[in-house]
Amino acid sequence: MPDTAELERALSGLADRIATLREDPEPGAMLRELDAAEELVRKALSELARSRRRRDGGSQREQKLLRQVFRALPIPVVIMDTGGTVRRINNETTRLLGSPAGYLIGRAFPLLVDVTARAAFRQRFTAVLHGDDSASFLTRLAHQGRAHTVRLVLSRLHMPGEPQEMIAGVVLPTEVQLPEPAVQGGVPDDAAVLAAARRHELLSRLTALLLDEESLREPVALLRAARLLAAETADWVIADVARDGGLVRTVVIGPSDQPVGRLQRAVEEAPPALAPVVEQVMATQSGVVHEMLTDDSLLGGDVLQAMRAGSLLSVPIRADGEARGVLTLVRLRDRPPFGLADLGLLEEIGLHLGLAMRAQQGFQRRAHAADTLQTGVLPRTLPEIPGFEIAAAYHPGSGMRAIGGEFYDVFPVKNGWGFVIGSAAGRGEEAAAVTAMVRNGLRVLSVWEDDPGQALRKVSDALVVQNTGLFVMAAAGFVRGRKVRLASAGHHPAALIQPGGGVRFSEGGGVPLGFEEGSVPATEEITLSAGETLVLYSDGVVGAQSPAGDNYGEQRLTEALARCSGQPPGAVVKAIEEDHRAFCGSHAVDEITVLTLRRAR
């Protein structure tokens, strides 16, 4: 067995010969030096094993020396575990591949092999692992834009004290293809630019998809995002969402060109809690990429083996600093594996999905509040008022404007009838609560108050005391005989359609309810002649915009009302709805409320 001094001399001689070959390479001589290098590595490893068995104080010094010999070997040497993962490399390997040891160690070595040569590499690797002492063959490495045609020698290592066998790979390049040098001024690599552009395009398409109004109104954002990812960057897409303290498998999309129905159902029915990679991502709240799968149990059972998975990427769906779910992507073995760039992109997509899910949940809560408002505050039927015809309509808006606080009501008062129309300057649950307070408070106060202005004033003071932070624009009227006592708290003026086709407006005005204590609404008295129709409308009617950005306005409303002269209240409401719809088209509109009251002949 050679001593360390002899190994050092052999190493020095080998380095000199390889340096000569680099200047004038000759295939036969290169192969002889490769054999010599392999023998030298074997001797060094044997000496290391022998030194471990020594009990004198010089063993640690010799181990350090042998490690230094390994690092300084003038040919690339890679130590892999039985799964093909890189565990040790020397300095020459980092020079050859152009990446530091910290990047290469822990990665699957087959990912450094050109795609066309991976099957042959795996075959030789498996043969060495299960019986053959060594294998020598030509293959091709590809990394960091460099391509290397090399002779690779694989040998089993029996390392005393190690929990498992190792595989040593000795590499002798026979042909190296370096990337083209950059032109002065810095011209970016076309492939890198194209890959970055595709990632940017995918992120842009996903963002547009998540911001779509339907993605907010309906629980389809996650499904649509998964379909996009399956079409653009993965064969399988799996989404697990946190609900009621656990994970629920929400979306599973498999390859569209393969009959995977049974397998897809098995994946859908598999509990996410039994998938180690999903549990890991939820616990750490960070993504993970497996460029080459060596553990088929990452998704639980033999799912990955049944998929014929080659690589896997899993990221958290995050919002507000916590994981709301896990998004997992799988590529099959015949496709390029996921890499660090894919991991970075998908982590950003996971954040976007988390924000979209949060927005959708908030939107759904406000939608529920709007339903409560519409069913609990708006009257189910309109009462009959002697001597009058009455009609009303309420329409929730579209898009983000769908949720608001508009309302109307018709109710009995002392010696007559009362009505109110209003809009809270807010949205969601708070707006629903405030409108309910105004509607119910006005009904109660109208039992004692003869003037709608006084009733609105007391409701306003109550809102100020409650410190809701919201104010309400409202118009209320008490009907006694032919006379209507009308009070306005910051509301649009009411319109009066006259039998001859003219349209005039009330004074309106006043301070909105809840704005300041002691504010008095503007009041006036209107006498309705037979056939005259009083029309009250919300801000959503006159404040709506067309697709071109024009306002509907009171002028267009006046023209629409003028065409309704002599028509019953129901026809007036319908005419306003149709004209409003024709003006807005597909443009998102606010909710609208219309209340009409006509003096019968």
Side-chain angles (χ1 to χ4, degrees):
M1 184 70 64
D3 56 19
T4 54
E6 184 179 346
L7 285 173
E8 288 181 353
R9 288 193 296 273
L11 175 61
S12 179
L14 178 63
D16 292 340
R17 294 194 299 274
I18 289 178
T20 301
L21 285 173
R22 282 181 177 149
E23 297 176 359
D24 186 16
E26 195 275 314
M30 293 174 73
L31 292 178
R32 287 193 297 274
E33 296 306 334
L34 178 61
D35 293 336
E38 179 189 0
E39 183 62 25
L40 181 59
V41 172
R42 286 182 177 277
K43 289 179 179 179
L45 293 171
S46 298
E47 178 63 19
L48 178 60
R50 187 168 68 88
S51 66
R52 285 183 173 177
R53 292 192 292 269
R54 294 175 182 169
R55 297 185 178 181
D56 55 30
S59 61
Q60 289 187 356
R61 183 185 67 81
E62 291 189 359
Q63 288 180 32
K64 291 181 180 179
L65 180 60
L66 289 170
R67 290 193 188 99
Q68 184 61 33
V69 169
F70 171 73
R71 285 194 291 268
L73 277 171
I75 59 171
V77 179
V78 180
I79 307 298
M80 296 167 276
D81 62 19
T82 54
T85 301
V86 177
R87 296 304 179 192
R88 298 286 187 275
I89 60 173
N90 65 348
N91 295 338
E92 189 65 13
T93 305
T94 65
R95 187 197 68 79
L96 174 73
L97 297 177
S99 290
Y103 178 82
L104 294 170
I105 293 176
R107 294 187 171 275
F109 184 80
L111 293 177
L112 304 175
V113 179
D114 188 79
V115 175
T116 59
R118 284 180 188 169
F121 170 82
R122 290 194 182 99
Q123 182 180 5
R124 301 293 182 88
F125 185 89
T126 303
V128 171
L129 188 63
H130 293 98
D132 296 346
D133 288 335
S134 64
S136 176
F137 55 97
L138 286 174
T139 189
R140 187 173 176 83
L141 303 183
H143 183 63
Q144 295 286 29
R146 307 181 180 192
H148 314 267
T149 300
V150 303
R151 178 162 290 278
L152 181 63
V153 179
L154 299 179
S155 301
R156 276 191 302 171
L157 299 178
H158 303 279
M159 304 284 289
E162 293 290 342
Q164 62 178 345
E165 288 185 331
M166 296 289 180
I167 302 292
V170 181
V171 184
L172 184 62
T174 62
E175 179 186 340
V176 178
Q177 191 174 10
L178 298 177
E180 292 293 332
V183 179
Q184 187 173 2
V187 177
D189 178 71
D190 290 343
V193 171
L194 182 60
R198 286 175 176 169
R199 289 192 293 269
H200 177 75
E201 181 185 5
L202 176 61
L203 188 60
S204 298
R205 291 174 60 188
L206 182 88
T207 301
L209 181 151
L210 296 179
L211 291 177
D212 183 74
E213 292 174 0
E214 187 176 358
S215 295
L216 290 173
R217 292 197 304 268
E218 304 293 337
V220 297
L222 191 57
L223 177 60
R224 288 183 171 183
R227 285 175 177 168
L228 176 61
L229 293 173
E232 296 295 330
T233 190
D235 295 296
W236 287 85
V237 179
I238 302 169
D240 301 308
V241 176
R243 290 178 186 165
D244 302 325
L247 286 172
V248 177
R249 184 143 293 172
T250 306
V251 176
V252 176
I253 298 178
S256 59
D257 59 344
Q258 298 182 20
V260 294
R262 183 178 300 177
L263 177 57
Q264 184 164 331
R265 285 192 295 272
V267 177
E268 290 171 345
E269 296 169 0
L274 299 183
V277 70
V278 174
E279 290 293 293
Q280 175 189 348
V281 171
M282 282 294 292
T284 62
Q285 296 195 28
S286 61
V288 60
V289 58
H290 292 267
E291 294 176 275
M292 176 180 169
L293 286 171
T294 58
D295 183 359
D296 288 334
S297 67
L298 289 176
L299 279 180
D302 59 353
V303 169
L304 290 175
Q305 185 176 2
M307 290 179 177
R308 298 181 65 253
S311 62
L312 176 146
L313 190 156
S314 192
V315 297
I317 300 173
R318 300 179 68 247
D320 301 324
E322 64 178 10
R324 294 171 174 254
V326 176
L327 182 66
T328 302
L329 276 62
V330 176
R331 281 182 183 168
L332 303 184
R333 296 169 188 168
D334 56 353
R335 293 189 62 181
F338 290 115
L340 292 178
D342 298 305
L343 177 61
L345 173 66
L346 265 294
E347 284 184 330
E348 189 168 357
I349 286 176
L351 179 60
H352 286 196
L353 278 173
L355 295 175
M357 290 172 60
R358 183 186 67 181
Q360 185 186 75
Q361 290 171 357
F363 191 89
Q364 294 298 327
R365 285 195 301 269
R366 293 193 297 273
H368 179 72
D371 290 340
T372 303
L373 170 68
Q374 192 170 10
T375 58
V377 178
L378 302 180
R380 296 183 179 180
T381 58
L382 292 174
E384 293 184 3
I385 301 178
F388 288 87
E389 298 172 290
I390 191 168
Y394 167 82
H395 292 284
S398 61
M400 293 299 293
R401 301 182 178 186
I403 313 303
E406 292 193 1
F407 67 101
Y408 70 90
D409 195 13
V410 180
F411 49 89
V413 298
K414 287 194 305 181
N415 303 319
W417 289 88
F419 60 82
V420 63
I421 182 173
S423 175
R427 300 181 185 277
E429 298 92 334
E430 291 183 341
V434 168
T435 53
M437 184 186 303
V438 172
R439 181 244 193 188
N440 295 330
L442 191 61
R443 273 182 171 247
V444 171
L445 290 171
S446 296
V447 175
W448 293 280
E449 296 293 341
D450 292 324
D451 188 276
Q454 291 301 316
L456 286 179
R457 181 184 64 79
K458 292 182 178 180
V459 171
S460 178
D461 290 344
L463 287 179
V464 173
V465 172
Q466 292 295 324
N467 194 27
T468 63
L470 298 179
F471 57 88
V472 179
M473 296 175 291
F478 287 176
V479 181
R480 294 185 176 94
R482 296 171 51 195
K483 298 184 180 297
V484 178
R485 184 72 175 172
L486 188 64
S488 174
H491 202 269
H492 289 280
L496 186 64
I497 306 175
Q498 298 173 323
V503 178
R504 63 184 180 91
F505 289 85
S506 67
E507 295 180 1
V511 179
L513 305 179
F515 193 78
E516 60 182 0
E517 189 173 3
S519 60
V520 179
T523 58
E524 61 183 301
E525 190 167 273
I526 299 174
T527 300
L528 293 179
S529 301
E532 288 187 322
T533 303
L534 188 66
V535 180
L536 296 101
Y537 51 91
S538 67
D539 183 67
V541 175
V542 294
Q545 289 187 335
S546 69
D550 299 325
N551 284 329
Y552 186 86
E554 290 185 350
Q555 182 176 352
R556 177 161 182 141
L557 176 64
T558 302
E559 294 175 358
L561 294 178
R563 295 192 293 267
C564 298
S565 177
Q567 297 183 12
V572 174
V573 170
K574 184 176 180 181
I576 295 174
E577 290 173 326
E578 292 178 349
D579 188 68
H580 196 266
R581 191 179 304 114
F583 177 81
C584 295
S586 60
H587 185 69
V589 296
D590 206 340
E591 56 185 345
I592 62 173
T593 306
V594 180
L595 177 64
T596 58
L597 183 73
R598 183 190 187 205
R599 174 69 178 167
R601 295 184 182 274

